[in-house]
Amino acid sequence: MTAPTLPKRQLQWRKWLLTGIMVLGLIWSIGITNANLGLFFKNFSQFTVIFTEMAHVDWSYAYYTIDPMIQTLKMAIIGTLIGSAVAFPYALLVSRNIVTNKIVVGIFRFMLNIVRTIPDLMLAALFVAIVGIGPVAGIFALAIFTFGMVGKLFYEAVETIDPGPLEALKAAGAGRIEMIRFAVLPQIANYFVSFVLYAFEINVRASTVLGYMGAGGIGIYLQQALSMFRYDRVGLIVLVIFAVVLVIDYISGKAREVLL
């Protein structure tokens, strides 16, 4: 006796239409961007030349990368702390299970979405124009970037908490502050720590790129080395950044295991 087989579901015409639209969109995108993989492989030898020069690392330049790398880490730490500290109370204002007024929630969410749509490079360029070249511009850019990212992650976590404790405290006559303290914070504290550590990992990488816009850190030295075609120094800076990022990822992972 053969086992019964399930009937095959026919492919609906909507799926065929969607697939065709995606293929046409891909072809159209290739056409308007003049994407040419053949040209890429044709000039691939230039990459090998640059990579060979980067492999001959100028180790004598290592001393000069210590201070800017430390400055980059300070930028990431301060920017993450400021952005996360502001995102924590703001996320409560845009959580529907905390603030029941739809108009208030809608306004604050709209403002958060505006912040999230601004690229970090544009933020760096803006603050460089306001406060000048240096790490302060990078700190402000990273703080706003962290606020937008952590704020969204955090309010989504708040909206998924168990509503039972909230309803119990509300029935007992507790105020809004008591409800947040005893019903919300215990459920989302671990999420908040995880989100902050995740934002810090991203900011360490982002702060190296912000230096291109004059926002301080080792990114400035990387931009200078590239502009002078000193690929031996570029190779050293890339190795330093790579090593620091690996260490940060390892420490962050261990800290997440201990705290969560």
Side-chain angles (χ1 to χ4, degrees):
M1 182 177 178
T2 59
T5 58
L6 296 175
K8 295 183 178 179
R9 186 176 181 181
Q10 296 182 351
L11 190 62
Q12 299 178 356
W13 65 270
R14 293 185 181 88
K15 295 182 179 179
W16 283 108
L17 178 62
L18 180 60
T19 303
I21 293 174
M22 293 176 64
V23 172
L24 291 176
L26 176 62
I27 297 174
W28 179 66
S29 300
I30 293 174
I32 64 174
T33 57
N34 295 323
N36 190 342
L37 291 178
L39 183 61
F40 171 78
F41 289 107
K42 181 180 178 181
N43 297 328
F44 191 78
S45 59
Q46 298 181 9
F47 169 77
T48 58
V49 171
I50 295 176
F51 183 79
T52 302
E53 294 183 10
M54 289 176 59
H56 294 81
V57 177
D58 182 12
W59 296 107
S60 62
Y61 192 68
Y63 174 79
Y64 299 97
T65 64
I66 297 176
D67 287 341
M69 193 68 240
I70 294 175
Q71 188 180 80
T72 296
L73 292 175
K74 291 179 179 179
M75 288 168 51
I77 294 172
I78 298 175
T80 302
L81 291 178
I82 294 176
S84 301
V86 178
F88 178 79
Y90 194 93
L92 299 175
L93 294 176
V94 296
S95 301
R96 294 189 179 96
N97 55 345
I98 304 298
V99 179
T100 57
N101 191 317
K102 295 182 178 180
I103 297 178
V104 174
V105 172
I107 292 174
F108 282 106
R109 283 199 180 187
F110 178 73
M111 296 169 60
L112 180 63
N113 289 332
I114 292 177
V115 172
R116 292 179 58 245
T117 57
I118 304 176
D120 51 354
L121 287 177
M122 183 178 296
L123 289 172
L126 177 63
F127 284 110
V128 165
I130 296 175
V131 302
I133 296 175
V136 177
I139 290 173
F140 281 122
L142 291 174
I144 294 179
F145 174 74
T146 303
F147 165 74
M149 177 177 60
V150 175
K152 178 176 175 57
L153 294 174
F154 193 58
Y155 86 71
E156 289 178 350
V158 172
E159 290 186 342
T160 59
I161 64 174
D162 183 8
L166 282 174
E167 295 173 355
L169 287 173
K170 186 176 181 180
R176 188 83 60 180
I177 302 298
E178 287 78 10
M179 293 172 60
I180 293 174
R181 179 182 177 184
F182 296 105
V184 178
L185 291 182
Q187 297 189 61
I188 49 83
N190 291 342
Y191 290 105
F192 185 68
V193 172
S194 179
F195 295 152
V196 172
L197 291 175
Y198 175 67
F200 174 64
E201 294 175 10
I202 294 178
N203 287 340
V204 171
R205 300 178 179 89
S207 57
T208 62
V209 180
L210 296 182
Y212 275 89
M213 309 302 298
I218 199 169
I220 294 180
Y221 287 74
L222 181 60
Q223 191 273 339
Q224 292 175 352
L226 285 171
S227 63
M228 294 186 298
F229 303 103
R230 291 298 305 270
Y231 295 112
D232 52 347
R233 293 182 178 180
V234 172
L236 174 65
I237 295 174
V238 170
L239 286 177
V240 171
I241 296 173
F242 180 71
V244 171
V245 169
L246 284 182
V247 172
I248 292 297
D249 287 344
Y250 177 79
I251 295 176
S252 179
K254 290 298 181 181
R256 191 179 288 109
E257 292 178 3
V258 173
L259 296 174
L260 300 184

